Amino acid sequence: MAKRFTKPSINWLEIEKRCPPNQINNYKAFRAKSAVYLQRVEANPSVMPTIDWEAYKKLLPESDIVEKFKSELEKFKVPYPSDDVTKQIDEQWKTIEKDIEKFCAGQNKHIDAATVELTRIRSLPKFEDMTMEMFFHLYPEQALDPVNKPTYWPHYPEDQPGYVAPEEKAKKATKK
């Protein structure tokens, strides 16, 4: 019988941390099925039990059927595929591991920037408590400035004199 390929080194807690909340039931069902399967595999011996051919010869002394069975069993070999893929997977893993680390570093930068922005947003006063002066102080490029940049009601860019559509700006930029 072939050797066992069981790896009890599955980090279930790490997998559970990464599991989305809407799939936690599927994860728990999978983990239970995996545990049951592993118990079933470990309950069986890793090698076939030996057959006591002498006991069978005593039961059938004049028949040579026991010798035929013994020779046939010795000839019989269960074909087991050779493992050619593990080396390829290891080589692929070595080549993409650097890319994964680079990607994770980039994503961590995005996470850090988003955390800083979230902290800044949480430090702002509530929308209901904010005045127009506070908004102008926090966002001068977006706030209405009637002194320096007067606009007409309803204060949308396309309703202002001298407005140029972005498509036309792009056309003008490509012509130059």
Side-chain angles (χ1 to χ4, degrees):
M1 185 174 246
K3 71 176 192 176
R4 285 203 182 159
F5 288 105
T6 58
K7 287 188 177 181
S9 62
I10 298 173
N11 191 348
W12 291 107
L13 294 176
E14 188 65 29
I15 295 173
E16 188 172 358
K17 286 179 193 174
R18 295 170 186 243
C19 184
N22 62 338
Q23 294 181 2
I24 199 76
N25 291 334
N26 294 342
Y27 161 74
K28 288 180 180 178
F30 172 72
R31 185 173 176 181
K33 284 182 182 180
S34 177
V36 168
Y37 176 74
L38 186 61
Q39 287 175 349
R40 285 177 49 201
V41 168
E42 288 179 349
N44 296 321
S46 62
V47 293
M48 281 182 37
T50 58
I51 299 174
D52 186 10
W53 296 107
E54 295 303 318
Y56 286 111
K57 283 182 185 178
K58 289 178 185 174
L59 292 173
L60 302 167
E62 296 182 17
S63 177
D64 62 341
I65 194 164
V66 176
E67 287 298 323
K68 286 182 184 178
F69 279 148
K70 183 178 179 181
S71 65
E72 289 295 322
L73 186 62
E74 288 172 355
K75 289 181 194 175
F76 180 72
K77 298 291 181 200
V78 176
Y80 193 76
S82 61
D83 185 15
D84 302 332
V85 181
T86 303
K87 291 179 183 176
Q88 294 173 355
I89 291 172
D90 290 341
E91 289 172 8
Q92 277 184 335
W93 178 252
K94 287 177 185 174
T95 58
I96 65 170
E97 194 170 19
K98 294 174 186 170
D99 295 336
I100 291 171
E101 289 174 3
K102 191 185 302 180
F103 175 78
C104 288
Q107 293 304 312
N108 285 335
K109 288 179 185 176
H110 289 300
I111 289 170
D112 293 341
T115 305
V116 168
E117 180 65 15
L118 197 58
T119 305
R120 186 190 68 78
I121 290 171
R122 286 184 178 148
S123 69
L124 293 174
K126 292 182 181 177
F127 179 74
E128 298 85 23
D129 299 337
M130 191 179 293
T131 63
M132 292 297 285
E133 290 82 11
M134 291 169 95
F135 184 79
F136 181 77
H137 178 69
L138 293 170
Y139 302 103
E141 65 280 346
Q142 296 174 357
L144 296 176
D145 186 6
V147 176
N148 297 324
K149 297 186 288 183
T151 58
Y152 296 104
W153 186 87
H155 307 288
Y156 296 124
E158 53 270 358
D159 293 330
Q160 304 307 313
Y163 172 76
V164 179
E167 298 86 23
E168 293 179 24
K169 285 183 183 178
K171 287 179 185 177
K172 288 180 184 178
T174 57
K175 288 181 183 177
K176 290 181 180 181

Short mmCIF file of all heavy atoms in Angstrom, two decimals, residues 1-2 8 10 17 22 40 62 68 84 117 125 134 143 146 148-149 162 168 176:
data_model
loop_
_atom_site.label_atom_id
_atom_site.label_comp_id
_atom_site.label_asym_id
_atom_site.label_seq_id
_atom_site.Cartn_x
_atom_site.Cartn_y
_atom_site.Cartn_z
N MET A 1 0.85 -1.18 0.00
CA MET A 1 0.00 0.00 0.00
C MET A 1 0.89 1.24 0.00
O MET A 1 1.98 1.24 0.54
CB MET A 1 -0.90 -0.03 1.24
CG MET A 1 -1.90 1.08 1.26
SD MET A 1 -3.04 0.91 2.63
CE MET A 1 -4.52 0.62 1.72
N ALA A 2 0.43 2.30 -0.59
CA ALA A 2 1.22 3.53 -0.71
C ALA A 2 1.30 4.25 0.63
O ALA A 2 0.45 4.07 1.49
CB ALA A 2 0.59 4.43 -1.75
N PRO A 8 -1.16 17.21 8.91
CA PRO A 8 -2.00 17.78 9.97
C PRO A 8 -1.63 19.23 10.29
O PRO A 8 -2.01 19.74 11.32
CB PRO A 8 -1.69 16.87 11.16
CG PRO A 8 -0.32 16.39 10.92
CD PRO A 8 -0.18 16.29 9.42
N ILE A 10 -2.60 22.06 9.01
CA ILE A 10 -3.52 23.07 8.49
C ILE A 10 -3.79 24.08 9.60
O ILE A 10 -4.17 23.71 10.71
CB ILE A 10 -4.84 22.43 8.02
CG1 ILE A 10 -4.56 21.47 6.87
CG2 ILE A 10 -5.83 23.50 7.60
CD1 ILE A 10 -5.75 20.66 6.45
N LYS A 17 -9.93 33.36 10.12
CA LYS A 17 -9.78 34.81 10.14
C LYS A 17 -10.05 35.41 8.77
O LYS A 17 -10.61 36.50 8.65
CB LYS A 17 -8.36 35.20 10.56
CG LYS A 17 -8.07 35.03 12.02
CD LYS A 17 -6.63 35.44 12.29
CE LYS A 17 -6.16 35.00 13.65
NZ LYS A 17 -4.73 35.29 13.84
N ASN A 22 -20.21 35.98 5.67
CA ASN A 22 -21.34 35.32 5.02
C ASN A 22 -21.02 33.88 4.62
O ASN A 22 -21.92 33.14 4.23
CB ASN A 22 -21.81 36.11 3.81
CG ASN A 22 -20.75 36.21 2.74
OD1 ASN A 22 -19.56 36.06 2.99
ND2 ASN A 22 -21.16 36.47 1.53
N ARG A 40 -11.23 9.01 9.46
CA ARG A 40 -11.44 7.77 8.72
C ARG A 40 -10.13 7.26 8.13
O ARG A 40 -9.86 6.06 8.14
CB ARG A 40 -12.46 7.99 7.60
CG ARG A 40 -13.88 8.07 8.12
CD ARG A 40 -14.91 8.35 7.06
NE ARG A 40 -14.77 7.48 5.90
CZ ARG A 40 -15.25 7.76 4.70
NH1 ARG A 40 -15.91 8.89 4.50
NH2 ARG A 40 -15.11 6.93 3.71
N GLU A 62 -5.00 -30.49 0.12
CA GLU A 62 -4.74 -31.16 -1.16
C GLU A 62 -4.90 -30.22 -2.34
O GLU A 62 -4.61 -30.60 -3.47
CB GLU A 62 -5.69 -32.36 -1.31
CG GLU A 62 -5.43 -33.40 -0.25
CD GLU A 62 -6.34 -34.58 -0.42
OE1 GLU A 62 -6.91 -34.74 -1.51
OE2 GLU A 62 -6.46 -35.34 0.54
N LYS A 68 -1.86 -20.59 -5.77
CA LYS A 68 -2.26 -19.73 -6.91
C LYS A 68 -2.64 -18.35 -6.40
O LYS A 68 -2.22 -17.32 -6.97
CB LYS A 68 -3.43 -20.35 -7.66
CG LYS A 68 -3.07 -21.53 -8.50
CD LYS A 68 -4.29 -22.03 -9.25
CE LYS A 68 -3.98 -23.28 -10.04
NZ LYS A 68 -5.17 -23.81 -10.74
N ASP A 84 5.00 14.05 -9.98
CA ASP A 84 5.83 14.90 -10.83
C ASP A 84 5.46 16.38 -10.68
O ASP A 84 6.19 17.25 -11.14
CB ASP A 84 5.65 14.51 -12.31
CG ASP A 84 5.99 13.06 -12.56
OD1 ASP A 84 6.82 12.52 -11.80
OD2 ASP A 84 5.44 12.47 -13.51
N GLU A 117 -6.83 58.34 6.10
CA GLU A 117 -7.97 59.10 5.60
C GLU A 117 -9.21 58.86 6.47
O GLU A 117 -9.96 59.79 6.77
CB GLU A 117 -8.27 58.73 4.14
CG GLU A 117 -9.42 59.46 3.53
CD GLU A 117 -9.21 60.95 3.39
OE1 GLU A 117 -8.06 61.44 3.51
OE2 GLU A 117 -10.22 61.66 3.16
N PRO A 125 -16.06 67.30 12.28
CA PRO A 125 -17.34 67.44 12.99
C PRO A 125 -18.46 66.79 12.17
O PRO A 125 -18.33 66.59 10.96
CB PRO A 125 -17.54 68.95 13.09
CG PRO A 125 -16.62 69.55 12.09
CD PRO A 125 -15.52 68.57 11.85
N MET A 134 -16.83 76.49 8.42
CA MET A 134 -16.01 75.31 8.71
C MET A 134 -15.74 74.53 7.43
O MET A 134 -14.61 74.08 7.19
CB MET A 134 -16.73 74.40 9.73
CG MET A 134 -16.84 74.99 11.11
SD MET A 134 -17.95 73.99 12.13
CE MET A 134 -16.78 72.95 12.94
N ALA A 143 -15.58 74.52 -1.62
CA ALA A 143 -16.57 75.40 -1.00
C ALA A 143 -16.87 76.59 -1.91
O ALA A 143 -16.07 76.98 -2.76
CB ALA A 143 -16.05 75.89 0.34
N PRO A 146 -17.91 83.34 -2.50
CA PRO A 146 -18.58 84.43 -3.23
C PRO A 146 -17.71 85.67 -3.44
O PRO A 146 -17.99 86.47 -4.32
CB PRO A 146 -19.78 84.76 -2.35
CG PRO A 146 -19.48 84.21 -1.01
CD PRO A 146 -18.50 83.10 -1.21
N ASN A 148 -14.03 85.71 -3.89
CA ASN A 148 -12.96 85.47 -4.86
C ASN A 148 -13.43 84.75 -6.11
O ASN A 148 -12.89 84.98 -7.20
CB ASN A 148 -11.84 84.66 -4.21
CG ASN A 148 -11.20 85.41 -3.06
OD1 ASN A 148 -11.06 86.62 -3.10
ND2 ASN A 148 -10.84 84.68 -2.02
N LYS A 149 -14.41 83.87 -6.00
CA LYS A 149 -14.93 83.11 -7.15
C LYS A 149 -16.45 83.13 -7.13
O LYS A 149 -17.08 82.15 -6.76
CB LYS A 149 -14.44 81.65 -7.10
CG LYS A 149 -12.95 81.46 -7.20
CD LYS A 149 -12.57 80.00 -7.28
CE LYS A 149 -12.78 79.35 -5.92
NZ LYS A 149 -12.39 77.96 -5.85
N GLY A 162 -18.65 80.88 -19.21
CA GLY A 162 -17.31 80.45 -19.61
C GLY A 162 -17.06 78.96 -19.36
O GLY A 162 -15.91 78.52 -19.43
N GLU A 168 -14.82 68.74 -24.58
CA GLU A 168 -14.23 69.78 -25.43
C GLU A 168 -12.81 70.12 -24.97
O GLU A 168 -11.94 70.39 -25.80
CB GLU A 168 -15.11 71.02 -25.42
CG GLU A 168 -16.46 70.80 -26.11
CD GLU A 168 -17.34 72.04 -26.07
OE1 GLU A 168 -16.79 73.16 -25.95
OE2 GLU A 168 -18.55 71.88 -26.17
N LYS A 176 -3.58 70.17 -29.75
CA LYS A 176 -2.33 70.92 -29.51
C LYS A 176 -1.15 70.07 -29.64
O LYS A 176 -0.80 69.12 -29.83
CB LYS A 176 -2.34 71.57 -28.13
CG LYS A 176 -3.33 72.69 -28.04
CD LYS A 176 -3.30 73.30 -26.69
CE LYS A 176 -4.30 74.44 -26.58
NZ LYS A 176 -4.29 75.08 -25.31
#
